[in-house]
Structures are given as C-alpha cells and as structure tokens.
C-alpha cells in the first residue's frame, strides 16, 4: 500500500455498504463546525453520478462535449472533470483542496488505502471486521463490542464520535498523534508511475559490473577506479623545504647568527647531520638535512661570507615553519585514489607522482543501440515518401560516448518478429546494456511484446511525465534492456532521467546524483497538475547575481532544435500546476556536449 499524505489531519470512515457512512457524517459535520473546525469531505463512489440537473446550462454544456466544466457563482464554485479512462487517486483529490483553509479532511470510502480510519460496523449488516486486516484503523464505532485494544465508541453516540474526531484533529496538529502528513508529491493518474518510482524500480534491478581492466595511465582518464590505489611511497618522499631559504635546527631559533655549512639543490641532499648554530642554504623541494626542521625564507636572510643573520622585523621565526613533512600528502599504503572514484586531471597527476604507470579501472560499458520502424531511414539515403531520417541513434551515440561507454551500433531494425528477435539475441551476447528507440510503447505491434517476453522479462510502463511517457524496461539474458520512446526529444529526456542513472550504477558510481540548481523563473512556465514536466530552457545569471531561467522554443517532443538551443531542463513537479515570474524552479544542466 502507498502512504496517503496531506498537510492537514486526514481521517477516514471505513465500512461496508449499508452501514450508514453518509448518514453518520451528515450528523457529525454540523457539530464539528460548531466546535470551530473547517472541514472538507472526500467521498468515493463506486458508481456513476451527476452533480448538475438535466436541463441546467452546465449539464447541457458538459453533455455537449466539455471534458472539464467550471461553474462559479457568488456563493460557490465547482469543477466537473470527465474521467472516462482513468479514475483519480486519493492523493490527487487531496491536492485539489485548498488545505490552507482547512483544519481536517474526512474521507468516506477508499478503505483499502493507507491512512488513519475509524471503522463503522453494524451487526445487522453481517460483514467481517475490517480492523483485523487493516492496522490503519485507530478506533471502532459499532453497536456491538469486539475483543480489541482499539478505542470503541457506540455508532449511535454522535456526541462521543464528535469528541473523538475533534481530539484526533487537535492531537494531530500538535504532533502528539502519529498521523502521516506531508506534501502532495505522489499524485499521478491510476496506472502510471511517477518519475521517482520508475527510476527507483530500475535502480533496484541494476547491479554494478565487476569487470576490471588494467590500462596505461593516460588511457584511464575519465574512467572509474576498480580497486583502491595505495601509495607505494611517502609523498613527499623526504621532509623538504617549502620555499627557497635557509634550513636550521628549530632549537636554535634564538641565536643571533648561523654558520652556513653547505647548499642543497632540489634532487640533492646534505650528507651530514646539522650541528648547533649551523645553517644550510636550501632550495624549494630539496630535502632538509638531518636534525633540521625549520626553514627561513631567503628574503628575510642576510649572508656575509659564511655567516647568515635573519631580519626579525620581517617576521618572527617559528620552529617547524616552511617545511613539508615526509608522507604529509600520502603515507606508504595510504589510499591515494579510492575505488569508485573517477580519474580526472588531479587523480592522474597524483597517480603519476607515485611512480605508477598503470591503473586498474572498471572496463567501459558496452551498450548496444538500435532503432525500429519501417518508416526510419539512415542518413545519406534518398528520403522515401512517408519516411524520416534516424536521429535517435546518433543522439544516443553522443550521450553514451560522453559517459565513457563503448557503443555497439546495430542500425535500424525492420518491423518483423524474426529481425527483432535476432537483433536482441545478438545484443544480449555482445553488450552490457541494450537500448532501443521507438516501437515499444503500450499499444504498439504485438510481436514486439511477444519477442521481448520470449527472450526475457520486460515491463511496459507509462511514466507520468512529459515528454517521454512510454518506457519499457527489463532484462534479456540478464542484460538490462530499455525501450525508449521514438520522438527525438523524448528519447533524450528519458535517457537522462532513467538510463544515465542506471549506467552510472553499472559503472560503479556508488551514490551518483544528477546535478541540479534552483533558479528564478524569468517568464510564466506552464505545466499540468499531477504530471512531471520537463521544459527545455536556458539559464544564466542576471544583473542582480540571480540564476534565472526561461523556456526555449517550441516544446514539442519531436523538435530537436529546442534541445540544441537549451542548456538545461526545467523540472516542474506534479504538485505544481505552473510557475509564475519570480517563482523558484529546479533546473537540470544539459551536459550534452563532449
């Protein structure tokens, strides 16, 4: 069961038909209002219903074809929405309420969902108790007693029931009662997955690959370390000078002058232990002599023959100053680069400084890609009537290459069961992941589903997002398979939201998260309540130092130019219908270029 969330106390009345839920609510509501509570009621009906009377204007307009009818008067307003294919969920209905004007939400019905409820029970109905199978029931209102530790109230004692509801509301608001309250983040139409749910289900089934490969140092750039790289030496190897100057014993800092007994250049050393009152001229990076532990910078020194003095007016001398200790950066056997870390310029330089010329990395993922459809042509061919050139494979090639993957391009596959089965079997033998674009949405050719079911386990999902609603995911011979939409923008957006996190996990990134920023909307941004919207946008810093964003071009899911002009996706979450100028929104930078 999914937890039902609201920002005010939520209490249900659960009962079988005929128990008298509506009659009881009708009796309690006036008493709750008398107690000062602002109450909303959500009722679940298992049958069709009409709110407006035949002959009324609203009824006539709705019957004429209006899918949404908004009626408003001086005293009340109502919106009637036709839902012929999808029934609204309780979280969605809760989010239609103005909860800032409420103290309590009462729910009649939805008895199988996860939120606090009072069970209504009458012996004459001859139905089983609900509380025995539902741990969300917090009290029982009945005309008989039952053996339970839950609070029991007479179903005919309206005053006592009212007292219980008022007490529940007050305790919930003061956090004394363990009611589950939160924001309306999980609203989506029945039968659809939210973006977060889809991503979570995918990542639960993705396993990091253990495929070590030892490569030359320069070839490791951009790849992930397979095994902890331990330092074989101290870095620095010896205690050395951090600047050009004179090395002395820290116990001699009170002396007025010192005898210069030698000079040490980088790559050389002074072979004798330093004695009391002695100094050695030393260069940056050179090892300090034995017994020496302090270096005074050259600008502070005055040397006359073999004698050197230091100008204390330029700064006091402190024992241990300007010296880098052996192993200060890395000690022998200390982890220099950890497993799972990406080799970038600093890591590459650090490994080289250890004297290592090879690194064991996670071998690049091999990802097989292909497009489907008889209407799809390869670039370079003469365009046939009613056909389109295949852009998706090239976009996917670029996205995968940017992630360090090795691409196995299987081309365009004709719409036939034999061709698709042969391609998928070949891909599962050659690759660590398989991506297809087009032809796998719900309602497409049956043979696609037949082939996928034959070779593996694939789920066809409708993701509550735009663009990119259709998505197929599963495994073929234990190789992850993604069936992406056919529209060019949709294939890129679904790749970024679902495929890239899966690739990162397979590659060995333990806790990879996409980079996001909060920006200020520089224009009104429209969306649909209950759906995650990804708008192509452009963000930059305004004259006041604020990160601002606006949408770019047409937002059609087949218009690639908008992706080329954009530098980010603007994410509008399902609980937000739109963003006005000045509102904060989340932006996801588009790192689509190498």
């Amino acid at each position: 069961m999914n937890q039902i969330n609201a920002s005010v106390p939520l209490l249900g009345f659960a009962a079988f038909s005929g128990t008298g839920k509506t009659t009881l609510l009708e009796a309690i509501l006036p008493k709750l209002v008398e107690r000062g509570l602002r109450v909303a009621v959500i009722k679940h009906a298992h049958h069709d219903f009409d709110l407006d009377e035949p002959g009324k204007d609203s009824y006539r307009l709705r019957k004429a074809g209006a899918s949404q009818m908004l009626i408003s008067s001086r005293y009340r307003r109502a919106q009637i929405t036709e839902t012929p294919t999808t029934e609204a969920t309780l979280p969605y209905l809760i989010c239609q309420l103005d909860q800032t004007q409420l103290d309590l939400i009462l729910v009649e019905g939805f008895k199988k969902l996860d939120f606090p409820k009072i069970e209504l029970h009458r012996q004459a109905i001859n139905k089983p108790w609900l509380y025995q199978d539902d741990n969300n029931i917090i009290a029982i209102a009945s005309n008989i007693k039952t053996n339970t530790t839950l609070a029991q109230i007479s179903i005919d004692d309206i005053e006592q029931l009212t007292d219980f509801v008022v007490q529940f509301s007050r305790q919930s608001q003061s956090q004394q009662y363990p009611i589950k309250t939160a924001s309306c983040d999980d609203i989506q139409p029945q039968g659809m997955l939210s973006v977060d749910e889809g991503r979570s289900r995918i990542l639960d089934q993705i396993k990091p690959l253990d495929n070590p490969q030892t490569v030359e140092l320069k070839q490791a750039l951009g790849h992930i370390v397979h095994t902890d790289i331990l330092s074989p030496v101290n870095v620095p190897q010896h205690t050395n000078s951090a600047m050009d100057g004179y090395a002395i014993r820290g116990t001699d800092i009170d002396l007025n002058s010192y005898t210069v007994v030698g000079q040490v250049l980088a790559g050389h050393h002074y072979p004798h232990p330093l004695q009391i009152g002695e100094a050695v001229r030393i260069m940056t990076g050179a090892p300090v002599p034995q017994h020496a532990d302090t270096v005074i910078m050259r600008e502070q020194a005055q040397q006359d023959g073999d004698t050197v003095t230091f100008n204390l007016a330029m700064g006091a001398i402190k024992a241990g100053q300007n010296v880098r200790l052996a192993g200060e950066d890395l000690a022998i056997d200390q982890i220099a680069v950890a497993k799972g870390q990406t080799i970038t310029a600093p890591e590459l330089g650090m490994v080289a400084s250890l004297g290592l010329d090879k690194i064991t990395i996670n071998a690049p993922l091999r990802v097989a890609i292909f497009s489907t459809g008889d209407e799809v042509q390869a670039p370079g061919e003469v365009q046939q009537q009613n056909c389109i050139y295949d852009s998706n494979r090239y976009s996917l090639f670029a996205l995968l290459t940017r992630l360090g993957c090795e691409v196995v391009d299987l081309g365009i596959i004709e719409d036939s069961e034999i061709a698709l089965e042969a391609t998928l079997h070949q891909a599962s033998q050659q690759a660590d992941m398989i991506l297809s674009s087009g032809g796998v949405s719900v309602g497409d050719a049956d043979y696609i589903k037949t082939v996928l079911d034959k070779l593996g386990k694939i789920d066809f999902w409708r993701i509550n997002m735009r663009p990119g609603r259709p998505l197929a995911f599963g495994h073929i011979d234990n190789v992850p398979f993604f069936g992406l939409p056919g529209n060019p923008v949709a294939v890129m957006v679904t790749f970024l939201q679902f495929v890239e996190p899966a690739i990162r996990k397979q590659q060995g990134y333990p806790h990879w998260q996409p980079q996001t920023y909060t920006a200020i909307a520089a224009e009104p941004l429209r969306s649909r309540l209950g759906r995650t919207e990804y708008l192509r946008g452009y963000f930059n810093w305004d004259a006041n130092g604020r990160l601002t964003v606006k949408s770019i071009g047409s937002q059609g899911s087949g218009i690639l130019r908008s992706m080329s002009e954009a530098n980010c996706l603007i994410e509008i979450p399902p609980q937000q219908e739109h963003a006005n100028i000045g509102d904060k929104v989340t932006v996801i930078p588009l790192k689509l270029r190498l």
Side-chain angles (χ1 to χ4, degrees):
M1 291 186 184
N2 292 326
Q3 178 176 319
I4 307 300
N5 296 316
S7 58
V8 297
L10 178 72
L11 180 62
F13 288 85
F16 288 99
S17 178
T19 307
K21 298 187 295 293
T22 302
T23 301
L24 186 143
L25 278 171
E26 189 179 17
I28 286 180
L29 279 169
K31 296 184 178 295
L32 294 175
V33 174
E34 288 176 4
R35 306 279 188 96
L37 292 181
R38 299 169 298 174
V39 185
V41 177
I42 298 175
K43 176 180 173 64
H44 182 229
H46 293 281
H47 50 78
D48 192 12
F49 65 89
D50 252 318
L51 294 181
D52 42 1
E53 298 177 11
K56 293 292 186 182
D57 291 349
S58 58
Y59 181 91
R60 292 166 57 193
L61 293 171
R62 185 165 57 84
K63 289 300 184 181
S67 60
Q68 295 188 45
M69 185 68 217
L70 184 61
I71 313 165
S72 179
S73 75
R74 165 66 181 80
Y75 303 100
R76 64 186 61 88
R77 65 180 180 269
Q79 181 174 346
I80 305 171
T81 303
E82 299 295 309
T83 56
T85 59
T86 302
E87 183 176 2
T89 64
L90 179 56
Y92 180 85
L93 294 174
I94 290 171
C95 286
Q96 307 311 299
L97 300 173
D98 183 0
Q99 298 182 52
T100 64
Q101 303 299 314
L102 294 174
D103 302 306
L104 176 66
I105 301 172
L106 300 180
V107 179
E108 179 184 339
F110 294 104
K111 64 175 179 286
K112 294 183 179 180
L113 299 184
D114 184 9
F115 63 99
K117 312 180 195 78
I118 298 175
E119 178 179 353
L120 307 182
H121 183 93
R122 292 189 185 275
Q123 188 176 21
I125 301 299
N126 194 29
K127 293 290 186 180
W129 292 98
L130 297 173
Y131 76 88
Q132 295 174 341
D133 297 311
D134 187 351
N135 58 12
N136 294 293
I137 290 175
I138 61 173
I140 294 171
S142 177
N143 58 353
I144 61 171
K145 293 288 185 180
T146 183
N147 184 23
T148 178
T149 57
L150 295 173
Q152 297 192 58
I153 306 164
S154 170
I155 196 171
D156 299 314
D157 191 337
I158 301 303
E159 288 294 337
Q160 189 180 6
L161 269 170
T162 303
D163 289 341
F164 184 89
V165 174
V166 171
Q167 182 184 17
F168 169 86
S169 177
R170 289 173 178 170
Q171 288 179 332
S172 300
Q173 290 172 339
S174 63
Q175 302 300 312
Q176 295 175 10
Y177 200 93
I179 183 174
K180 303 163 185 175
T181 61
S183 62
C184 299
D185 290 338
D186 56 349
I187 56 174
Q188 65 261 352
Q190 199 75 17
M192 281 197 185
L193 295 179
S194 70
V195 173
D196 288 341
E197 286 175 332
R199 188 185 300 117
S200 178
R201 290 192 186 190
I202 289 169
L203 291 178
D204 285 344
Q205 299 182 52
I206 295 293
K207 306 298 181 188
L209 296 181
D210 185 20
N211 189 13
Q213 179 181 356
T214 301
V215 297
E216 299 291 333
L217 207 55
K218 292 179 181 178
Q219 294 177 310
L221 185 63
H223 292 286
I224 299 168
V225 176
H226 176 272
T227 308
D228 288 342
I229 300 176
L230 305 181
S231 175
V233 296
N234 283 323
V235 180
Q237 186 177 15
H238 305 284
T239 298
N240 65 83
S241 176
M243 61 175 55
D244 293 349
Y246 292 83
I248 65 170
R249 297 160 54 114
T251 54
D252 294 349
I253 58 176
D254 293 329
L255 298 179
N256 294 323
S257 63
Y258 302 82
T259 301
V260 179
V261 294
Q263 176 174 282
V264 185
L265 303 177
H268 299 269
H269 74 287
Y270 182 73
H272 309 293
L274 208 60
Q275 303 300 317
I276 296 174
E278 292 182 340
V280 168
R281 189 173 182 181
I282 194 166
M283 301 298 124
T284 302
V288 298
Q290 187 179 354
H291 296 165
D293 60 4
T294 303
V295 173
I296 299 93
M297 61 181 179
R298 184 175 57 188
E299 292 80 0
Q300 196 173 353
Q302 293 178 329
Q303 183 173 349
D304 184 9
D306 292 336
T307 301
V308 65
T309 59
F310 303 111
N311 184 0
L312 298 183
M314 296 182 62
I317 300 172
K318 297 180 181 179
Q321 69 181 28
N322 301 326
V323 166
R324 296 182 296 208
L325 300 177
E328 184 175 84
D329 291 342
L330 284 171
I332 293 176
D333 291 334
Q334 183 179 345
I335 295 176
V337 184
K339 174 182 178 180
Q341 194 169 346
T342 303
I343 296 293
T344 63
E347 289 78 25
L348 202 65
M350 180 162 47
V351 174
S353 75
L354 304 179
L356 303 175
D357 63 346
K358 292 182 175 61
I359 298 178
T360 302
I361 60 169
N362 292 339
L365 292 185
R366 291 172 57 85
V367 182
I369 61 174
F370 63 89
S371 297
T372 62
D374 288 340
E375 79 283 6
V376 182
Q377 284 187 256
E381 298 178 350
V382 176
Q383 188 170 22
Q384 303 297 316
Q385 188 174 6
N386 302 319
C387 290
I388 58 173
Y389 286 120
D390 181 13
S391 63
N392 289 345
R393 277 188 304 125
Y394 294 87
S395 295
L396 289 174
F397 172 83
L399 290 166
L400 291 166
T401 302
R402 179 181 63 86
L403 299 182
C405 298
E406 182 181 329
V407 180
V408 180
D409 189 350
L410 300 177
I412 301 170
I413 309 305
E414 64 179 275
D415 282 334
S416 79
E417 185 171 340
I418 294 175
L420 181 62
E421 183 173 348
T423 300
L424 288 172
H425 179 73
Q426 176 187 354
S428 68
Q429 301 301 307
Q430 295 181 347
D432 303 307
M433 181 180 288
I434 306 169
L435 305 181
S436 75
S437 66
V440 292
S441 63
V442 176
D444 282 329
D446 289 338
Y447 72 80
I448 295 178
K449 302 175 182 61
T450 301
V451 171
L452 292 173
D453 287 340
K454 179 179 179 181
L455 296 179
K457 184 181 186 307
I458 308 295
D459 292 321
F460 292 84
W461 293 337
R462 294 166 68 222
I463 305 295
N464 194 25
M465 63 184 286
R466 180 179 179 272
R469 183 171 67 174
L471 179 70
F473 172 74
H475 288 77
I476 296 174
D477 292 334
N478 295 318
V479 177
F481 167 85
F482 285 88
L484 304 179
N487 285 322
V489 175
V491 78
M492 296 180 75
V493 172
T494 51
F495 180 96
L496 295 172
Q497 295 304 312
F498 303 108
V499 181
E500 182 172 2
I503 287 176
R504 295 298 193 183
K505 186 172 181 180
Q506 269 196 314
Q507 286 176 327
Y509 287 95
H511 306 292
W512 183 84
Q513 291 290 332
Q515 189 177 40
T516 62
Y517 299 115
T518 298
I520 304 298
E523 65 180 12
L525 301 171
R526 294 292 176 184
S527 180
R528 179 185 294 176
L529 190 65
R531 174 178 75 189
T532 302
E533 191 96 19
Y534 292 98
L535 306 174
R536 278 80 80 196
Y538 191 88
F539 68 90
N540 62 353
W541 299 95
D542 67 9
N544 297 317
R546 303 181 309 168
L547 190 65
T548 63
V549 67
K550 62 180 181 179
S551 62
I552 288 291
S554 173
Q555 297 294 316
S557 60
I559 302 175
L560 264 178
R561 182 177 178 180
S562 62
M563 288 294 281
S564 177
E565 295 174 345
N567 66 0
C568 70
L569 293 176
I570 308 169
E571 184 180 70
I572 310 293
Q575 70 272 20
Q576 184 175 352
E577 189 170 6
H578 54 77
N580 294 318
I581 295 176
D583 287 349
K584 293 181 178 180
V585 294
T586 297
V587 297
I588 305 168
L590 288 176
K591 300 177 180 178
L592 305 180
R593 295 166 180 82
L594 296 177

